[in-house]
Amino acid sequence: MKINSVKIGVATKNGACFLTSDEERSHWDASTPFLVGESVNRIIMDREGELFAATLTEGVFKSADGGKSWNPSSRGLNVRKVWTLENDPHEAGTIYAGTQYGHLFRTTDSGNSWEEVVGLHKAPQRDKWGVDWGYGTTGLTIHTVKLDPAKKGRIYIIASGTGAYRSDDAGETWDLIKNGINGACPIGADENPYSRPGSTPDERLEEHLDQVHSCFHKLALSSNPGTIFQQNHCGVYLSRDYGNLWKDISPDRKTRFGFPVDIVENRNSNAFVIPVPLNEEICKEHNVCIRGQLSVYRTGDFGETWEKLEKGLPSGVHTNVLRDAFSHGSLASPGVYFGTTTGEVYGSTDLGETWNLLAKGLGRIQGITAFVA
């Protein structure tokens, strides 16, 4: 079937826009920016074709006309700094919102009203989250929400700085899923920017596992039952049992830190990550950054081997790729897309073998979402 257009939603620190192309995806046009003045973190589309935008300034906005006009959709949303939105694949009109201060909200009427998922307050170690904290750029927030399309009521979230949680009963009860992550790390004893001056390797490892190693960045669910990829502050991890146990599958000892992880599944499962060298001491503008060659890593065998993909990507960047700024399309030959904090969008139609610059000058990109229209 001929596809009339392919659309990418680009969320930025100052508004958002759409990039549109035909099925060949060789040329892209940028729309007029919308929600200008709002810090937009993510855009999603429900099964009815309505669009929702998560903003870090004024809650959720909704569009029923393809993005031409937007209206606030935050009734009952008591925390207006919204990091993420996620559709429930089992219930039409049900959407989850993760917000600042570690709160999770849900709407069952397509955003007309929201209520808090209060069961999260009883999650293991919830009393240790605190109220908020200033480390990095996020603070305490629910920045990732994933729903299992194979099981109604199964929800995964990430609470920044504390790890990942899973609920199997639509948020009534929760399990902390960190086994295999907080027990060891091959670089935990190394000197790093978070170490206390004069600390011993054993002290550094203990602090690392307790603090830095608990900072999860993103989850991606595979269609293979129970299979989840995770990118955290210190590595790439894989679980084959719904997050009960994790295995370190990082590309190598040093290629570990990153923000996004995404899975493209057509002929097999291809997971993508974008490593970010830890350059805090020279990267105050981005907190952490990529300097020099921009590269994407791909595995098609669940982390047994990795390929470094950089054909078509620039070699002289000073940028970053944030946790929500990676997405893929749904065509038979799916497009893979990511955006940078310096305003560029790159895309590939051959699973990352080659990349093309699709747009530039868009401002700090915080989220990328691929749609087929």
Side-chain angles (χ1 to χ4, degrees):
M1 182 178 69
K2 179 70 174 177
I3 302 296
N4 291 327
S5 66
V6 178
K7 183 180 291 186
I8 302 171
V10 182
T12 81
K13 191 175 182 179
N14 182 18
C17 70
F18 293 118
L19 301 180
T20 306
S21 184
D22 59 17
E23 189 173 4
E24 298 300 318
R25 293 161 289 178
S26 58
H27 174 76
W28 294 81
D29 295 311
S31 72
T32 300
F34 52 87
L35 292 175
V36 175
E38 304 290 343
S39 180
V40 185
N41 207 59
R42 180 164 163 78
I43 303 170
I44 67 168
M45 180 186 292
D46 69 8
R47 66 178 69 180
E48 304 301 324
E50 293 185 315
L51 294 164
F52 296 81
T55 78
L56 304 179
T57 42
E58 196 51 49
V60 175
F61 289 81
K62 177 179 177 179
S63 175
D65 56 9
K68 296 182 179 68
S69 62
W70 294 82
N71 294 297
S73 182
S74 299
R75 181 184 177 189
L77 197 63
N78 298 324
V79 182
R80 296 297 175 88
K81 193 171 184 178
V82 180
W83 281 86
T84 192
L85 295 168
E86 195 73 20
N87 287 308
D88 187 332
H90 303 281
E91 296 285 349
T94 297
I95 302 170
Y96 288 80
T99 77
Q100 197 75 12
Y101 313 124
H103 295 281
L104 181 66
F105 291 84
R106 174 171 53 211
T107 176
T108 58
D109 56 12
S110 298
N112 292 321
S113 61
W114 297 84
E115 62 179 3
E116 187 169 2
V117 181
V118 295
L120 186 58
H121 289 280
K122 299 178 181 179
Q125 300 183 21
R126 179 63 180 86
D127 58 329
K128 298 180 180 180
W129 291 12
V131 178
D132 200 9
W133 43 277
Y135 174 78
T137 58
T138 59
L140 172 60
T141 181
I142 304 297
H143 60 62
T144 297
V145 180
K146 298 291 182 182
L147 287 96
D148 190 340
K151 180 175 173 56
K152 184 177 180 179
R154 178 174 288 151
I155 311 168
Y156 296 87
I157 67 164
I158 295 178
S160 56
T162 64
Y165 288 79
R166 186 190 69 228
S167 173
D168 294 321
D169 53 14
E172 290 295 319
T173 61
W174 296 85
D175 292 313
L176 178 59
I177 49 174
K178 290 175 60 176
N179 288 338
I181 290 176
N182 56 355
C185 178
I187 62 170
D190 293 355
E191 294 278 4
N192 63 68
Y194 310 109
S195 301
R196 288 182 292 107
S199 57
T200 68
D202 287 346
E203 289 172 336
R204 290 196 292 270
L205 178 59
E206 182 180 359
E207 291 181 359
H208 178 95
L209 293 175
D210 182 53
Q211 299 176 25
V212 181
H213 214 58
S214 294
C215 186
F216 292 20
H217 290 165
K218 206 65 185 175
L219 295 177
L221 306 185
S222 169
S223 61
N224 294 276
T227 300
I228 314 170
F229 287 83
Q230 178 200 147
Q231 171 71 71
N232 69 37
H233 203 97
C234 296
V236 185
Y237 286 77
L238 174 71
S239 174
R240 304 304 291 267
D241 59 2
Y242 305 95
N244 292 320
L245 182 66
W246 297 92
K247 175 186 177 183
D248 188 346
I249 59 165
S250 303
D252 55 52
R253 189 177 185 277
K254 289 296 185 181
T255 309
R256 308 181 64 84
F257 181 97
F259 290 104
V261 59
D262 194 29
I263 305 174
V264 179
E265 294 178 304
N266 50 356
R267 290 180 294 276
N268 65 336
S269 295
N270 287 280
F272 295 82
V273 297
I274 299 180
V276 183
L278 283 172
N279 289 319
E280 284 90 341
E281 70 280 3
I282 57 172
C283 208
K284 301 301 182 183
E285 181 179 353
H286 301 280
N287 193 42
V288 292
C289 63
I290 302 164
R291 295 191 69 168
Q293 178 64 53
L294 181 57
S295 304
V296 178
Y297 280 68
R298 179 187 68 197
T299 179
D301 54 14
F302 302 99
E304 293 296 325
T305 60
W306 290 86
E307 296 175 87
K308 186 177 183 180
L309 310 171
E310 49 191 40
K311 185 177 181 180
L313 296 177
S315 59
V317 302
H318 180 192
T319 191
N320 203 352
V321 180
L322 303 180
R323 57 175 53 84
D324 285 310
F326 201 114
S327 184
H328 68 274
S330 58
L331 296 178
S333 177
V336 184
Y337 313 99
F338 69 89
T340 71
T341 54
T342 44
E344 298 84 26
V345 178
Y346 295 93
S348 172
T349 57
D350 54 12
L351 294 177
E353 294 292 334
T354 57
W355 297 89
N356 291 294
L357 177 65
L358 310 187
K360 61 181 180 179
L362 300 181
R364 177 187 170 92
I365 296 174
Q366 301 179 149
I368 292 282
T369 307
F371 306 105
V372 175

